[in-house]
Amino acid sequence: MRSQSSHRKLRAAAVVCAAVAVAGPAPAAAWAATAAPGPAAAPSPDPFDGLTPEQIADRAVDATRSADSLRMTGQVVSEGQHLDVDFSVDDRGSCRGRIGVDDGDAELRRLDGVTYLKGDEAFWRISMTAQGVPENQIAPVIELVKGRWLKIDPGQAGSADLGEVCDLDSLLDDLGRDEDGARLTRGPDREVDRTPVATLVKKESGETTTVSVAQEGKPYIRQVVRTGGDEPGSMTLSEFDRPVRVTAPPADETVDLSRLDPGTPA
């Protein structure tokens, strides 16, 4: 169960302002470690009794990929920046959520292929500085988008990356991949958000990945935690199959990306 491309998609969202003045995808992200869920008694009888860890993983991947929508929350560290992400996405390409970058914060909405991003001054400044945008270009951009939503239409710079962030199939694309063939073992049962879970553990090259699978209801993946290695961190999934309601901001509160991107006609 790999999640590297999911990291890149979330990172792309966190630094979407790179599309304002810098072309190309952002570097990969790493999940910041959070506290592990506490131990809990497994439900009786064990719904996975008699299954190998690999068989449990297959069921979890199939169930999670079948979800119509979900919410994902996590903390990310990338190139010294602390990112805090919280997204709700559905299988129709709609999403809403927020991104925190160090002391900055931004809200994201996407529907009908159009992305809207509203950040505070700290968010825009931190993100553009990280992408090497000259200071004399940062201030005018901040002034233009202050208190407004940046509107990114299909085909504009950054739209494709953000589309993948809000594409449920794309985010779950690599859940079933295990290219290195590392062996899974079953760890101790725990709880994630008061839901009993079975844990599947993979250890390799100093890195431990623990995947928590719901033992009640559908066997959704509820959490992935990495410790050790180059990319320690955590991602939690919740609110499966709940409607994701997104509304477009009023037109007079938006500014089109074409006013910021010299490569796109205004």
Side-chain angles (χ1 to χ4, degrees):
M1 297 181 205
R2 308 297 291 176
S3 58
Q4 300 298 327
S5 67
S6 295
H7 293 170
R8 287 191 290 272
K9 293 160 191 172
L10 290 173
R11 175 62 179 168
V15 293
V16 66
C17 63
V20 172
V22 182
W31 293 100
T34 60
S44 182
D46 179 3
F48 305 128
D49 185 39
L51 298 181
T52 67
E54 288 75 14
Q55 289 171 326
I56 298 173
D58 288 343
R59 290 194 179 189
V61 169
D62 289 344
T64 305
R65 286 181 60 85
S66 74
D68 295 329
S69 61
L70 57 81
R71 179 183 180 184
M72 54 185 178
T73 57
Q75 293 176 320
V76 181
V77 172
S78 180
E79 298 186 343
Q81 288 183 330
H82 294 265
L83 310 182
D84 184 0
V85 297
D86 184 345
F87 286 104
S88 294
V89 301
D90 67 20
D91 59 0
R92 296 182 298 279
S94 297
C95 74
R96 57 179 171 80
R98 58 169 298 277
I99 311 163
V101 184
D102 290 339
D103 295 328
D105 193 78
E107 183 180 352
L108 181 146
R109 301 180 189 177
R110 184 178 175 93
L111 70 161
D112 299 328
V114 180
T115 303
Y116 303 89
L117 189 71
K118 184 178 184 180
D120 58 19
E121 181 174 343
F123 172 83
W124 293 115
R125 183 171 297 280
I126 292 169
S127 300
M128 284 188 282
T129 299
Q131 290 299 308
V133 179
E135 175 61 31
N136 63 354
Q137 294 181 25
I138 293 177
V141 169
I142 291 177
E143 186 62 30
L144 185 61
V145 299
K146 184 185 299 182
R148 305 172 74 183
W149 294 83
L150 180 62
K151 179 184 178 184
I152 306 172
D153 288 315
Q156 290 183 310
S159 178
D161 287 334
L162 287 164
E164 290 190 339
V165 172
C166 296
D167 184 336
L168 188 56
D169 285 339
S170 177
L171 287 169
L172 300 179
D173 230 3
D174 48 354
L175 276 179
R177 300 178 189 170
D178 193 2
E179 298 169 357
D180 47 34
R183 182 173 177 269
L184 284 173
T185 61
R186 182 164 176 178
D189 295 338
R190 300 179 181 274
E191 279 190 356
V192 173
D193 295 336
R194 300 183 181 181
T195 297
V197 297
T199 61
L200 305 176
V201 182
K202 180 175 68 174
K203 296 183 178 182
E204 57 176 335
S205 304
E207 178 181 277
T208 300
T209 302
T210 303
V211 179
S212 297
V213 181
Q215 292 176 290
E216 293 180 348
K218 293 184 179 180
Y220 290 130
I221 294 173
R222 295 302 310 274
Q223 191 174 66
V224 180
V225 177
R226 279 203 183 95
T227 58
D230 296 331
E231 296 187 346
S234 174
M235 177 170 64
T236 299
L237 307 182
S238 63
E239 299 182 9
F240 296 90
D241 300 316
R242 295 187 186 180
V244 178
R245 297 182 175 89
V246 186
T247 58
D252 60 358
E253 296 180 13
T254 69
V255 57
D256 196 277
L257 179 64
S258 61
R259 296 187 59 185
L260 308 178
D261 181 6
T264 304

